[in-house]
Amino acid sequence: MGLVILIGMMGSGKSTVGMELARLLDVDFFDTDKLLEQRLGRPIRQWFQIYGEQAFREHETLMLKSLDAESGVLATGGGIILRDENWSELKRLGTTVFLDVDPEVLKRRLTQSKRKRPLLEVDNWEEKFDSILNSRRDVYNRADQTIEVGDEALVDVAQKIKNLLHEYP
Ligand code: S3P
């Protein structure tokens, strides 16, 4: 079966939806950011501050390459889609699902979230967010499946993905 791989912007709920989806499918759950934190021995935000984004991206790719295509659900960091070589790994590992969440909902969630995103720690973070989303939209659309998400509860999103996977196995 391989992995069901959730991709999408910061705040799109990949980890929360992923955990619920794994529960519904009765498979293991993995999270690239969590795996990286274990590997790097520090929170990602700290890693960004000390070593910068490029160093983080190198580790992200190496970590992806070290994963095996077992069954499970994999939540990813929002920027995993930036490197072409990561796409080869994502294809090897399973099926990608883009959580296409309404940008207003994303911004609201990010405002409320306790977890600070290093890329958005700037004065005009909403503008930065919009420009990141614009630059990534076409790349997210390379996903095998897309699920459009508005304001619904994340548990419902997980159920929707489960249904989608049954329709297009
Ligand atoms: C990033 C998203 C973050 C994390 C890092 C970079 C991005 O993960 O990997 O801060 O480039 O969009 P989340 O998508 O879980 O916030």
Side-chain angles (χ1 to χ4, degrees):
M1 167 202 176
L3 297 173
V4 179
I5 305 163
L6 303 183
I7 65 171
M9 280 296 277
M10 299 166 257
S12 56
K14 293 163 297 207
S15 302
T16 311
V17 170
M19 265 185 264
E20 175 64 11
L21 180 62
R23 197 186 64 77
L24 290 174
L25 297 174
D26 196 20
V27 294
D28 289 334
F29 172 71
F30 309 94
D31 188 321
T32 61
D33 280 349
K34 290 272 164 350
L35 292 169
L36 273 171
E37 290 191 339
Q38 283 164 15
R39 210 179 160 116
L40 301 174
R42 347 170 154 262
I44 283 168
R45 182 166 169 230
Q46 233 184 59
W47 184 270
F48 257 73
Q49 279 162 356
I50 305 172
Y51 302 106
E53 182 176 352
Q54 281 321 308
F56 173 76
R57 298 289 174 217
E58 288 297 328
H59 283 282
E60 199 170 47
T61 299
L62 286 174
M63 192 273 301
L64 213 47
K65 286 186 172 165
S66 72
L67 285 181
D68 280 331
E70 44 198 299
S71 63
V73 176
L74 177 70
T76 60
I80 203 114
I81 45 81
L82 291 172
R83 290 182 161 204
D84 257 348
E85 61 181 322
N86 290 358
W87 278 98
S88 321
E89 299 307 317
L90 296 174
K91 294 265 171 241
R92 173 181 65 84
L93 290 166
T95 306
T96 44
V97 179
F98 169 33
L99 294 192
D100 189 4
V101 182
D102 178 342
E104 292 313 311
V105 174
L106 287 175
K107 285 187 204 166
R108 201 180 61 225
R109 283 204 202 131
L110 287 166
T111 307
Q112 291 162 353
S113 169
K114 283 196 212 80
R115 185 160 65 88
K116 285 231 163 71
R117 296 339 200 253
L119 289 177
L120 300 178
E121 292 193 76
V122 292
D123 286 342
N124 232 331
W125 74 268
E126 297 205 29
E127 250 174 52
K128 175 94 184 281
F129 177 88
D130 288 336
S131 84
I132 294 176
L133 178 56
N134 285 335
S135 68
R136 289 183 183 175
R137 176 158 284 287
D138 288 348
V139 196
Y140 285 130
N141 279 326
R142 287 173 65 178
D144 298 314
Q145 305 283 342
T146 295
I147 186 121
E148 287 184 15
V149 183
D151 221 354
E152 63 260 54
L154 294 176
V155 284
D156 295 335
V157 178
Q159 185 61 53
K160 255 184 165 175
I161 298 174
K162 185 181 174 201
N163 297 343
L164 187 82
L165 294 170
H166 281 309
E167 274 172 50
Y168 306 96

